[in-house]
Every structure is written in C-alpha cells, then in structure tokens.
Amino acid sequence: MTDEQLRQTQTTQATAVPRVIAGRYRLLSELGRGGMGVVHRAEDTVIGRHVAIKELRLPDGAEDAGVFQERVLREVRTGGKLNDPAVVTVYDVIAEGDSTFIVMELVEAPTLSDVIRTQGPLPPHHVAAIGDQVLSALQAAHSAGIVHRDVKPGNIMVAANGRVKLTDFGIAQAVDDPRLTTSGMLVGSPAFMAPERVAGREALPASDLWSLGASLFFAVEGSLPFERSTTAATLHAIMHEVPFLTHAQGPLASAIMGMLISTPEARITAEQARGLLGMAAQQPGYAPSTPPGGQHTALYPNGGQPPTMMGPPTAFAHQQPPVRKGKRKALLIGGAVAAVALLAGGFFLGKPVWSPSVDEAMATTLTYGEGGDMGSYYFDGSSYWCVNTPLGAGRSISSQNWVDCEEEQHDAQLYEGSYPVGLSDEEGAELADYPGPERLNAFAEAKCSVAFYSNRIRPEYRPALKYQAVVPSKAEWEKAPEDSTSDPVRYIYCFVVSANGGRLDGYQTNQVN
C-alpha cells in the first residue's frame, strides 16, 4: 500500500467514527437543517433509544457564546417541563465547547410544511384537527408562562395516524437577545410573525395564536396569507392587509380569521379557537361545491367569483333575500373575508368572541327594525352604497336615501355586511334564537372593525372616518320570513361616517382601476 493510499484509508476510518456528544449520544445521520441549526438522528447509548438532537448555531453577528448557551439552557429547560401529548419532549440540554445541543424525542413524521408541499392543501376537517392539537400544546405552554414565538408549519410535525407534535419550544426565546443578535435582526419566521411583534412589541400568548392562524391558513389554502416577494413587503402585508379564505367556511374559517385579527387584545382566545376547531373537525363530510373554474360557491355568491379586496361592495342582499332553505350560501362582500364570520365563536360557544379595548374610531352601534333605534330600514343592494341621511336614533332609511357616492355628497357609506346567524344546512332546521344585544353587537363590531382596518378602506381617508355597525332589533330578528322559501332578515351592516360629523364626497373604499 502506498503512502497516499494509507493516508486516504486513515482519513476514511477517522470520518467513519460517529461523533459522540457528552460521552453518551452517538450521532447517526442528519435529519434536516434550518435557520437555527442542524437536527441529527442519534442513539442514546446509556438506555439504547434513538433520539433527535438539535445542534444550535450561534446567530450571525453574535459575539457572546456564553450568553447564548446560558439562555438556551434556561429557556429550553423551562420548555422541557411542559407535559402535553402535542409537545415534543425535551430529554436533555448540553453545552459542549461552543455548541449547544438539545436532545429531544425522535418524531419520525414530516412537518406540516413538508405535507403541504408534497400533497397540497388538506381537507378542512384535517386542518381543524391539526390546529386543535397545536392549541393544546400552546395552552399548556401559556399556562406555564411560556410563549413559543416561532409557531410555523416547519415546527408542526404530522404523523400518518393524525397525531401532531409542536417542537422548538424556548429556542426562539433563547436566541432573541440583544446581546446575541445584530441590530434590527428579526428572530422568527417573518411570514408567520404577528403584527405586534413586527411593530416591536414583546411576544404575547396571542402572538402564538396569530402564527397558528397563519399556519392553518397555509394548510387549508396551500399558500401563505402574507408572504410577498420581499421581507419588507411581507411585513407590510402583515400590518395592513387582510387575506381571504377560499377553501374553508363556518367554524374553521371563524377560527383561522379570528386568530388573524390584527389587534392582539381583540383576537379570539385559545379556548374559543379550540371550540371552533373542535366543531370543524367533526365535519369530515364537508366539501364545498365547486363549479367550473374551481371557485367555491359555498363561499362566494355571484356565480362563484371570489370577492375582490378592491372596489365598492358586491350587492349582498335586499332586505328580504330570496334564499332557499338548505342552500344558503355564506355571505361575503367585496372586501369581506371569512375572518369576520366570527359568529361561531360567540353564538355557538355561548359567549362573545370580541373583547376589544375602546376604539375611538367606532361610533355607537344602532339597531334597525321594529322597536329599533332607526325604525324602518331599506337596503337597495343593486346600485348605490351611500345614503344622504345621517345614521342615528329616530332616523329611517328609505329607497330614496340611497345615492351615487361619486355624484352626491352623503352622510354615510356602506362598506361591509354579514348574515351572522341563520339556518343550518339541513332542510327544516330550527331557527337560531336571538343571541341578545351584547353578543350580536359584539359580532357586528368585530366584523366592522376587521374590514375598517383592512385595505377595504382607503388608508389616506381612514383618520377622518369613523365606522358604525347597524344590527337588527330583537323584533326584527324574530320576524317571520315572508314565505317558506326565504330566510329571516338578520343582516348586520357596516358604514363609515365622517369623524367630525360632516358629509362625505366620493368613495371612501378602494376602487377597481
């Protein structure tokens, strides 16, 4: 054997010797790489089981390896105390040299990101079941004072039997330290980062819910709700845009979009979201009807065409909508998103889903119909979206009050609306009971607020506007329909009015060019 061959043989033998961590964990193969490190399959030689080991990298620009290891040890050990079936168990945390290793339960399952990349969007009831299990893990963490900070499809593992595991608890928290990160560095995945974190606020439990909402949106739609071509554009979308769902409705849509409410204090809670997801997971037979072209008529009126985020609201109904029982379609207008179908959260769980702090832009909610603030109310949903009479107690709106927004000054503009609660999809189902003014107002105000702060309203006009919800009175809610083929009148309406009490000119909404 020549000297060169001998050297090659010795090199091969040296590289073939497995690397051992802490004299105990033998690294066998690499399972994957990510922004925070490398994941290895390893063998625990003491007890003979296979484990996963995440080797964390010191963040770019960091100079203090000691601080990094100290924080990782503290945060991950705290996360390792969590006990929930959906939490990946942490067995050990090791600092060795300049490296930090987290020894975890080995879960041989693809991530949700991998599943969607290979299989495409998942059925709504599967997405709901995944979300319910992740929420279980998050509730356990939040109860222990732990915020995950990096909930995303790449950290959600989905086994073939449907079991779900959420991994990487504590890692984002450990890395997010000004002594470790370069100025302006974002810790976490921008496309799944909650608006309050983009704005520089500390991560909250509600921030994890936002990230989960974005992850479930991705799972059911197959696309990311806020990802754009650049990080800056992505962050702008998170702060200023509202996505809409095309493959989900009912409780699942309510849960996802309720978690994506931009104000953390107004987001639905984990408990409310689990209630909605639990209902959605029990609907395996749900499949929206799909006409030619692939759009879901179960979500969109107007021949299955999706609502645009631009332009005057699509006509959503006359005061007596000719909709047959068992075939009622979910109501969305122009900039309406399935988000604002928060109805299930409040009305089906028996509690409001909206507990906003005082919003100075929200005017007093009014009732219409018999015994209501406004008395009679007529909506001409065919042409006009502005009214030439102020909204207020003692006022009425007739067909003569609807005017062209561009041709006449007006007192209010309709920009959103909804049919909050009605018949089930089953023929002959009983009417839903009047939910009471508190819950009905809460639904209406939530819906109007979401649309008001979306790109439905022109941002340059928003500071000079207030928004106002108009809901049916109890008598109007309980009024019998005119015939057996119609649903009762239960629409809520959202208007914008001048913040200083003056009149408006032109459309306050975005328009199609």
Side-chain angles (χ1 to χ4, degrees):
M1 180 180 295
T2 67
D3 290 343
E4 178 62 26
Q5 290 174 325
L6 178 60
R7 280 195 297 270
Q8 289 180 350
T9 300
Q10 290 172 338
T11 300
T12 301
Q13 290 173 343
T15 56
V17 176
R19 184 180 174 191
V20 178
I21 306 302
R24 173 173 180 173
Y25 302 104
R26 180 183 297 116
L27 303 188
L28 302 177
S29 61
E30 184 178 309
L31 295 175
R33 289 176 176 262
M36 291 185 184
V38 182
V39 181
H40 305 271
R41 174 193 289 272
E43 180 186 6
D44 182 343
T45 59
V46 174
I47 60 178
R49 70 180 169 191
H50 281 201
V51 295
I53 295 183
K54 187 156 197 172
E55 181 179 0
L56 293 183
R57 301 168 176 165
L58 194 64
D60 292 339
E63 298 179 356
D64 195 333
V67 171
F68 178 64
Q69 290 181 342
E70 173 191 341
R71 284 180 60 84
V72 170
L73 290 171
R74 182 175 68 250
E75 300 296 344
V76 177
R77 280 172 177 162
T78 299
K81 297 176 183 177
L82 298 177
N83 183 21
D84 185 271
V87 174
V88 172
T89 304
V90 174
Y91 298 134
D92 201 357
V93 186
I94 301 162
E96 190 170 272
D98 290 336
S99 299
T100 305
F101 302 89
I102 303 172
V103 183
M104 302 176 289
E105 170 188 6
L106 177 63
V107 181
E108 301 194 79
T111 66
L112 181 59
S113 181
D114 293 332
V115 171
I116 303 306
R117 186 170 60 251
T118 57
Q119 299 182 21
L122 298 178
H125 70 285
H126 287 169
V127 174
I130 290 169
D132 181 68
Q133 293 178 71
V134 175
L135 274 173
S136 175
L138 290 177
Q139 283 183 296
H142 297 163
S143 297
I146 299 169
V147 179
H148 189 287
R149 302 167 71 98
D150 197 22
V151 177
K152 61 182 180 181
N155 281 335
I156 299 171
M157 308 184 79
V158 185
N161 63 0
R163 293 294 300 274
V164 171
K165 293 280 189 177
L166 180 60
T167 190
D168 277 6
F169 272 99
I171 294 178
Q173 170 72 18
V175 174
D176 193 4
D177 186 307
R179 295 170 293 177
L180 298 175
T181 57
T182 56
S183 177
M185 175 181 175
L186 289 174
V187 176
S189 305
F192 300 95
M193 189 173 292
E196 61 272 16
R197 294 196 61 205
V198 174
R201 291 180 59 183
E202 180 59 44
L204 306 166
S207 307
D208 283 345
L209 296 187
W210 166 280
S211 300
L212 177 59
S215 298
L216 298 184
F217 186 107
F218 170 69
V220 78
E221 295 293 321
S223 60
L224 296 173
F226 301 103
E227 188 173 56
R228 303 295 184 265
S229 58
T230 66
T231 299
T234 296
L235 299 180
H236 181 275
I238 288 171
M239 296 297 291
H240 300 290
E241 297 180 20
V242 176
F244 59 83
L245 289 157
T246 62
H247 291 74
Q249 64 177 3
L252 178 59
S254 298
I256 292 174
M257 301 310 294
M259 287 187 279
L260 289 178
I261 291 173
S262 60
T263 304
E265 294 79 11
R267 242 164 256 157
I268 59 174
T269 66
E271 179 186 359
Q272 291 163 343
R274 288 198 73 184
L276 293 168
L277 293 174
M279 287 187 290
Q282 299 303 314
Q283 300 176 332
Y286 162 68
S289 57
T290 306
Q295 298 295 346
H296 296 275
T297 56
L299 286 171
Y300 300 132
N302 306 322
Q305 295 302 311
T308 177
M309 292 296 287
M310 310 289 283
T314 305
F316 49 90
H318 289 279
Q319 192 165 354
Q320 297 290 346
V323 182
R324 296 186 177 276
K325 293 179 180 179
K327 298 184 183 297
R328 179 174 56 81
K329 297 180 176 68
L331 176 66
L332 300 176
I333 12 178
V337 285
V340 278
L342 290 170
L343 58 111
F347 299 137
F348 292 124
L349 295 181
K351 64 181 74 174
V353 299
W354 185 257
S355 300
S357 54
V358 176
D359 186 349
E360 297 296 335
M362 184 174 69
T364 303
T365 298
L366 301 170
T367 54
Y368 69 86
E370 182 182 343
D373 299 316
M374 295 184 61
S376 62
Y377 180 95
Y378 176 83
F379 172 61
D380 179 4
S382 59
S383 303
Y384 301 128
W385 305 99
C386 294
V387 292
N388 62 2
T389 183
L391 306 181
R395 299 281 183 171
S396 295
I397 296 179
S398 70
S399 60
Q400 303 302 311
N401 293 124
W402 292 93
V403 298
D404 189 309
C405 299
E406 293 185 315
E407 293 185 3
E408 298 184 40
Q409 282 195 326
H410 45 275
D411 296 277
Q413 180 188 335
L414 179 67
Y415 71 96
E416 185 66 288
S418 176
Y419 191 95
V421 176
L423 305 176
S424 78
D425 290 334
E426 297 178 359
E427 190 73 23
E430 295 295 327
L431 298 181
D433 293 335
Y434 177 65
E438 180 181 352
R439 283 190 286 161
L440 183 57
N441 289 0
F443 168 83
E445 291 161 7
K447 180 175 179 64
C448 295
S449 177
V450 169
F452 181 76
Y453 289 108
S454 75
N455 60 349
R456 156 58 56 196
I457 304 299
R458 291 180 176 180
E460 66 269 25
Y461 291 160
R462 192 179 294 122
L465 299 173
K466 287 194 171 187
Y467 64 94
Q468 190 163 26
V470 181
V471 305
S473 65
K474 185 175 185 294
E476 190 74 15
W477 181 283
E478 295 176 342
K479 185 185 297 183
E482 289 187 345
D483 56 62
S484 60
T485 65
S486 300
D487 284 349
V489 180
R490 291 174 179 167
Y491 290 105
I492 67 101
Y493 302 96
C494 303
F495 287 88
V496 287
V497 298
S498 172
N500 62 14
R503 307 198 83 194
L504 303 175
D505 288 298
Y507 281 110
Q508 310 304 303
T509 56
N510 282 304
Q511 290 181 261
V512 178
N513 293 325

